[in-house]
Amino acid sequence: MAQLWGGRFTKATDRTVCDFNASIRFDRRLFHEDIEGSMAHVTMLARQKILTERERDEILKGLSGIREDVDNGKLDIDETCEDIHSFVEAELIRRIGDTGKKMHTGRSRNDQVALDMRLYTRKHVIRADGLLRELLTVILAVMEENLGTYMPGFTHLQKAQPTTLAHHYGAYFEMFRRDRQRMADIYRRMNYCPLGAGALAGTTYPLDREYTASLMGFAGPTQNSMDSVSDRDYLIEFLSALSTVMMHLSRFSEEIIIWNSNEYQFVEIDDAYSTGSSIMPQKKNPDVAELIRGKTGRVYGALMALLTTMKGIPLAYNKDMQEDKELTFDAIDTVEDCLTLFAGMLRTMRFRKERMAASAMNGFTNATDAADYLVGKGVPFRDAHGIIGRLVLYCVEKKTSIDRLSLEELQGISDKFEEDIYDAVSLETCVEKRLTIGGPGQEAMKAVIGKHRAYLEEGTLRDSE
Ligand code: ARG
């Protein structure tokens, strides 16, 4: 297949160079965006009288024919072409002849690819936002059903204070909500059209860049043509936001793996989301959660790779930038899969509420509340901390818990203990009295859940299209 640029060469490109240089194997993914961008471009060219209306119509018809034929499998994208832009142009010229050669007037592949990639990425920023919203819906449903499902809260993976499943999930609700906010920020910042920047210095044709931008739903055109062809910040921001999504998914996966372990048995992952072992018949493994945790690495990798690729590139376009595509595509595929699978796993996972509550009952998760009880009886907190520390030691030696000690035993350690200590250190009291904003007590949680409901009813990024 002929190249777009043979004129000044006297010798054919070496085969190995063609293969090394070509991007069609992966930028074929930009086919629809490439057609969309070209349609907007020629529409603008005709409006500016750079093309006649007839030429415009011929080109538009040719382009929609190509799109249709590729979409319904009548035409294969020819992988001997250098890139998707060359394929579309060559195919157009093959179909409509010389008029097709006018399509690239006032355009370079540099602004063309910058546009294609931006259109593609914009779509996937919107998709990530939608998938995150679906995940938040699943999380909120679990929260609403589990306001009174007690479980231990941990620090250092040691039991710390009792909390509820709703409260624990609520932490992830906050994380994934911030992830959505990051998508919205990125969308706002990236939604400017680079087309019309030309190779790097704009063009002498009277292009109407405002018009082209509006045809494709951008907020406006970019403001510096050199930046337009060499900006990949929006991809770095997107990969960074995707990395953060993966970090959150990975932490949640790790907890599910722990909760699903034989030792904890807080949850049971549904059969549909578990896998077996080829040798050990008893096994039901949390492979989905493990894979999500594992795939976090490749998304971080894409971010680090693109940051590194970009760091030494002088203005404006350099071929290094072609490397942005495979990295971004792989990260997008990975995160979209992980979000979908994770939401499915969460939706079908069962909770063993008795085991969670039993676990919250032991391990001295009520020790802070016992100290607070003494504070209520006039003991300074630091002294109360020391008294309860000795009480815990006593319980450890006796293999019992604070709430199971007799009043005599308790008073043997401090004469401040009275009958009301039992109520003060009960699981219910420990949780339900924690009513500060953001705490696990039911009344505090209900207020937050109400806000979450309203938030999920707000518009999505898709609505801004
Ligand atoms: N395949 C190229 C890329 O992805 C398209 C732009 C080519 N521009 C150039 N001057 N060679 O970056």
Side-chain angles (χ1 to χ4, degrees), residues 5 21-24 26-27 30 82-85 108-114 117 199 229 232 317-325:
W5 38 264
N21 186 51
S23 52
I24 190 137
F26 45 86
D27 67 17
L30 301 174
E82 183 183 340
D83 52 31
I84 192 66
H85 327 296
S108 157
R109 276 186 297 168
N110 297 351
D111 58 344
Q112 187 177 359
V113 76
M117 195 61 185
V229 291
R232 300 293 182 271
Y317 178 84
N318 295 263
K319 196 62 176 246
D320 318 39
M321 292 174 181
Q322 179 167 287
E323 286 291 308
D324 64 355
K325 287 173 199 65

Side-chain angles (χ1 to χ4, degrees), residues 356-389:
M356 289 175 148
S359 171
M361 298 277 287
N362 60 45
F364 304 103
T365 59
N366 54 2
T368 313
D369 295 83
D372 288 342
Y373 169 87
L374 290 177
V375 171
K377 301 279 175 187
V379 182
F381 180 76
R382 192 51 57 213
D383 293 341
H385 188 287
I387 294 167
I388 302 301

Side-chain angles (χ1 to χ4, degrees), residues 117-125 190 234-235 238 328:
M117 195 61 185
R118 227 174 253 241
L119 285 171
Y120 183 88
T121 306
R122 189 175 66 174
K123 229 176 265 173
H124 289 276
V125 170
M190 71 171 285
Y234 71 100
L235 293 178
F238 187 39
T328 306

Side-chain angles (χ1 to χ4, degrees), residues 236-237 239-240 300-313 327:
I236 289 170
E237 283 190 54
L239 290 174
S240 162
Y300 289 7
L303 171 64
M304 291 319 296
L306 189 58
L307 277 168
T308 311
T309 291
M310 292 305 294
K311 74 179 264 293
I313 304 184
L327 299 169

Side-chain angles (χ1 to χ4, degrees), residues 37 107 114 117 146 154 164 172 203 235 255 311:
R107 186 174 70 168
M117 195 61 185
N146 290 285
F154 299 84
T164 66
Y172 285 102
T203 162
L235 293 178
E255 298 213 281
K311 74 179 264 293

Side-chain angles (χ1 to χ4, degrees), residues 15-34:
R15 187 75 251 153
T16 56
V17 175
C18 285
D19 291 345
F20 190 63
N21 186 51
S23 52
I24 190 137
R25 188 171 43 80
F26 45 86
D27 67 17
R28 53 179 296 152
R29 239 197 231 230
L30 301 174
F31 173 69
H32 285 105
E33 288 74 18
D34 201 70

Side-chain angles (χ1 to χ4, degrees), residues 269-437:
I269 299 176
D270 195 72
D271 276 4
Y273 285 87
S274 309
T275 45
S277 156
S278 63
I279 176 170
M280 297 168 283
Q282 84 282 14
K283 285 285 213 153
K284 218 181 109 180
N285 295 328
D287 286 24
V288 171
E290 289 171 13
L291 264 176
I292 292 171
R293 188 178 58 185
K295 283 175 188 291
T296 304
R298 63 200 278 169
V299 180
Y300 289 7
L303 171 64
M304 291 319 296
L306 189 58
L307 277 168
T308 311
T309 291
M310 292 305 294
K311 74 179 264 293
I313 304 184
L315 293 181
Y317 178 84
N318 295 263
K319 196 62 176 246
D320 318 39
M321 292 174 181
Q322 179 167 287
E323 286 291 308
D324 64 355
K325 287 173 199 65
E326 286 166 289
L327 299 169
T328 306
F329 295 159
D330 184 70
I332 287 172
D333 292 348
T334 303
V335 176
E336 288 179 359
D337 280 356
C338 288
L339 280 170
T340 308
L341 272 277
F342 191 84
M345 180 175 70
L346 227 51
R347 198 180 289 117
T348 51
M349 199 166 76
R350 277 177 303 281
F351 299 100
R352 298 192 157 173
K353 299 183 187 182
E354 13 26 90
R355 280 197 61 91
M356 289 175 148
S359 171
M361 298 277 287
N362 60 45
F364 304 103
T365 59
N366 54 2
T368 313
D369 295 83
D372 288 342
Y373 169 87
L374 290 177
V375 171
K377 301 279 175 187
V379 182
F381 180 76
R382 192 51 57 213
D383 293 341
H385 188 287
I387 294 167
I388 302 301
R390 288 198 297 283
L391 192 61
V392 167
L393 198 58
Y394 177 83
C395 290
V396 170
E397 278 162 10
K398 292 234 156 189
K399 294 197 173 29
T400 184
S401 58
I402 298 174
D403 45 285
R404 275 184 291 199
L405 294 177
S406 68
L407 197 55
E408 292 69 48
E409 285 174 295
L410 288 163
Q411 287 172 341
I413 294 192
S414 167
D415 59 7
K416 301 285 181 194
F417 285 118
E418 293 173 58
E419 193 57 46
D420 57 352
I421 175 66
Y422 296 106
D423 183 49
V425 298
S426 78
L427 195 51
E428 289 73 21
T429 309
C430 291
V431 174
E432 302 308 344
K433 283 246 175 92
R434 291 190 145 76
L435 292 170
T436 37
I437 295 173

